[in-house]
Amino acid sequence: MTFELWAVVTATEQLAPLVAAGLSGGAAVSAVAVGPLELAQTASGMGVAKVYWIETSPGLAAEAYTGAVGELARRSAARAWLASAAPGPRALLGAAAAATGAGLTTGGVALRLDGEQVVVEREALDGAVIETVAANGPIAVVWGLGEGEPAVGAPPAEIEPVPAASPWAVESLSIEAAGGGLSQASRVVGVGRGVRARADLALVEELAEAFGAEVGCSMPLADDLHWYAEERYIGRSGLRIAPAVYLALGISGQPQHVEGVRGARVIAAVNSDPEAPIFKTATYGIAQDLYEVAPALVRALRDN
Amino acid sequence: MKTIVIYKWFRSAASALVRQDGQVDWGGAKMAAGDDDPAALDIAKAVAGPGGTVTGLTIGDGETAWVLARGVERALAAPAVGPLTDELATARALAQAVRLVEAADAVEAADAVIVADAAAHPGVAPALAAELGRPVVLCVSSAAADGSQITVRRRVGNAVEVICLPPPAVLGAVAAGEEARPPGMMETIRARKKPVVELPVTPPPEALERRGTRPPARLGARLFGGSPDDAASALVAALRADGVL
């Protein structure tokens, strides 16, 4: 037995995790593509049953189309709605949930049909637990996983244009790139309040050089202490990075910061507090004083 | 402009005790100010502008002194609405409360409703906007208004975006820094003596059934011990084995 799942997307990189989640959960997946035709065309080749395409006007943000998605949702029989945590698709997901009365939850990592209920497993309490929730009717989920492989070699699905009669006047006036080389770096050293003085940043810079890494920081070092420029702050309201390896030095691991490094392939952390939340997120850790570990890391990197 | 800031509308994850079997005990945890609540208030003040009004709104057992101590003259609460699992139900409760505030003010709509775009409950702000039938912008770190337009700034991925939209609107606020000047103890004590208006909001039904919680499969990092040199060498070896170094 299958069920209908609609994935709401505004950019191609959002597609694969949502389509993969739906297909692995046994759903017949359709995409609601809000953007240019290229987005709908990409979606149609990713193993979906159908693509509903809402064409966006130049200059309007995705959030302008909440009304159109709400209207589309009202005539849908979908049992599950998925979107990434990015602001555009999330705004559209909220509209779909409100239009259908769908139970709305966050951090989904798996879903399936269980009898008449759609069951979702989700990360809760900053990843401390996995919570299982179920809905008898539709459910809308801000999806928590950023990776997934869609079907390969799938035949292209039908693209149905959906008119957006009266979008909101939510206008994007300008978009400027930020972050420079840090946002594209394959190795990043992040530094937090575990560093006691500005002069001690030399220790971090030396490690970053040995590591071949760019240096970023947690919010207090940019916002409060002004040791680094705002452009180097990593977190939910700062840079979001996806390096091969992220080394967190003296960073406690508050959710604000961790959200900015979720895309990292491997996270390693050095913090003197073994109970620091960063060790729940990291793959590897050293629970010792960074003032002793950082020079040791430099030696280890240079010795081999 | 007239703005409504919604604050202390969920409990902090830090208040929950997670047992080894994954069961969660909230104890007597109250609705708490989230990381983004001060940013929401700053944005509400900025959009309201000189001569404008900011109304503070909380639900459940959220303490109104938080907003009263930060320069807001009017605080309202919907005490019957406790923490809800379903974010749409939370949004519907907040929408009820907003409409009651607007009805009391005899206005069709406040110019802007600002709510924390909380990482733990990211569906609430957009669902609130949809329930109110208003446009929304999320991840807003600052905002200003010129009378006919609201202009907001936000960081999306690795870009800074400037967006404008017409009132009435809903803005989801995120903190771009720590609170600049939190109030002192005396201000908070004085704020606790100020009047609070209670709103008769009925908790909406929830469409989600909680089946329980369990520990995640991976409980944390693989920790390397020994001397700093031993630990550093082991970490470097592990990173090399993973092909990231």
Side-chain angles (χ1 to χ4, degrees):
Chain A
M1 191 172 172
T2 189
F3 62 105
E4 266 193 66
L5 179 150
W6 287 22
V8 183
V9 296
T10 61
T12 52
E13 66 268 20
Q14 298 160 10
L15 276 162
L18 305 183
V19 174
L23 294 177
S24 65
V29 180
S30 293
V32 179
V34 181
L37 178 59
E38 292 75 22
L39 174 65
Q41 289 170 331
T42 303
S44 79
M46 298 187 82
V48 301
K50 190 169 181 176
V51 178
Y52 297 90
W53 172 43
I54 297 175
E55 183 178 19
T56 51
S57 298
L60 288 187
E63 284 96 328
Y65 298 90
T66 51
V69 170
E71 282 300 313
L72 180 63
R74 283 187 192 93
R75 64 180 175 88
S76 160
R79 288 292 310 275
W81 291 78
L82 263 54
S84 81
R90 188 154 51 85
L92 303 172
L93 184 78
T100 59
L104 179 55
T105 192
T106 293
V109 294
L111 86 171
R112 66 182 189 279
L113 194 65
D114 181 8
E116 294 298 312
Q117 290 190 313
V118 176
V119 176
V120 170
E121 293 198 337
R122 70 182 203 99
E123 283 189 343
L125 302 179
D126 303 332
V129 296
I130 300 294
E131 181 176 44
T132 304
V133 295
N136 291 312
I139 188 168
V141 188
V142 179
W143 202 245
L145 295 181
E147 296 178 350
E149 295 296 327
V152 177
E158 176 197 355
I159 298 174
E160 179 183 321
V162 177
S166 304
W168 296 110
V170 181
E171 296 178 50
S172 179
L173 300 180
S174 67
I175 300 181
E176 291 178 11
L182 182 56
S183 60
Q184 303 299 324
S186 61
R187 297 173 193 168
V188 174
V189 172
V191 55
R193 272 203 150 138
V195 173
R196 294 190 285 267
R198 188 169 197 161
D200 299 341
L201 293 179
L203 194 72
V204 177
E205 300 289 344
E206 185 184 10
L207 173 57
E209 186 184 344
F211 206 54
E214 295 278 339
V215 177
C217 67
S218 63
M219 186 166 69
L221 267 68
D223 171 67
D224 186 20
L225 300 171
H226 303 290
W227 290 355
Y228 286 103
E230 184 189 346
E231 288 72 28
R232 291 202 169 264
Y233 146 52
I234 299 165
R236 186 157 62 94
S237 55
L239 281 177
R240 293 169 190 246
I241 58 173
V245 58
Y246 177 67
L247 175 59
L249 287 181
I251 285 178
S252 64
Q254 294 304 311
Q256 230 285 0
H257 180 77
V258 167
E259 201 167 320
V261 298
R262 280 201 191 282
R265 190 170 143 207
V266 175
I267 298 174
V270 178
N271 194 304
S272 57
D273 177 6
E275 301 299 321
I278 190 70
F279 290 128
K280 290 179 183 166
T281 305
T283 314
Y284 304 116
I286 299 176
Q288 298 183 26
D289 184 354
L290 74 87
Y291 283 82
E292 295 184 27
V293 175
L297 279 168
V298 171
R299 288 192 290 275
L301 288 161
R302 287 179 177 162
D303 285 350
N304 293 290
Chain B
M1 285 193 171
K2 282 181 181 288
T3 64
I4 297 172
V5 59
I6 300 171
Y7 64 98
K8 285 199 173 187
W9 54 272
F10 61 94
R11 295 178 297 191
S12 164
S15 302
L17 174 65
V18 179
R19 302 190 190 285
Q20 279 200 325
D21 62 359
Q23 299 303 301
V24 178
D25 181 359
W26 282 99
K30 291 186 172 185
M31 300 293 196
D35 292 342
D36 302 312
D37 277 1
L41 178 55
D42 287 346
I43 290 168
K45 289 176 178 175
V47 173
T53 61
V54 179
T55 298
L57 177 61
T58 186
I59 58 174
D61 53 14
E63 197 184 13
T64 53
W66 185 88
V67 77
L68 292 169
R70 287 165 170 79
V72 173
E73 290 298 319
R74 183 182 181 219
L76 300 100
V81 183
L84 300 167
T85 298
D86 182 352
E87 293 184 18
L88 179 62
T90 302
R92 286 180 166 171
L94 295 175
Q96 269 189 64
V98 167
R99 288 197 188 98
L100 287 171
V101 174
E102 292 168 344
D105 289 350
V107 295
E108 192 171 324
D111 294 298
V113 176
I114 299 96
V115 59
D117 194 10
H121 306 282
V124 170
L128 170 63
E131 285 293 319
L132 292 171
R134 299 172 197 176
V136 63
V137 180
L138 304 173
C139 284
V140 174
S141 55
S142 65
D146 69 359
S148 61
Q149 288 284 309
I150 299 169
T151 303
V152 306
R153 183 178 183 270
R154 71 175 177 189
R155 196 105 177 223
V156 181
N158 293 326
V160 175
E161 186 173 20
V162 177
I163 291 176
C164 76
L165 71 168
V170 173
L171 306 179
V174 298
E178 295 184 339
E179 185 175 16
R181 286 178 297 279
M185 183 62 75
M186 290 308 296
E187 290 161 298
T188 302
I189 290 170
R190 277 196 294 273
R192 285 184 182 138
K193 295 174 182 169
K194 292 183 179 177
V196 178
V197 177
E198 294 193 354
L199 298 169
V201 176
T202 310
E206 297 191 73
L208 293 180
E209 168 194 319
R210 295 184 66 204
R211 286 193 175 181
T213 53
R214 62 174 170 79
R218 190 171 67 81
L219 282 172
R222 176 182 165 199
L223 294 179
F224 300 110
S227 71
D229 281 308
D230 289 344
S233 295
L235 174 57
V236 168
L239 295 176
R240 287 202 167 118
D242 285 348
V244 295
L245 201 60

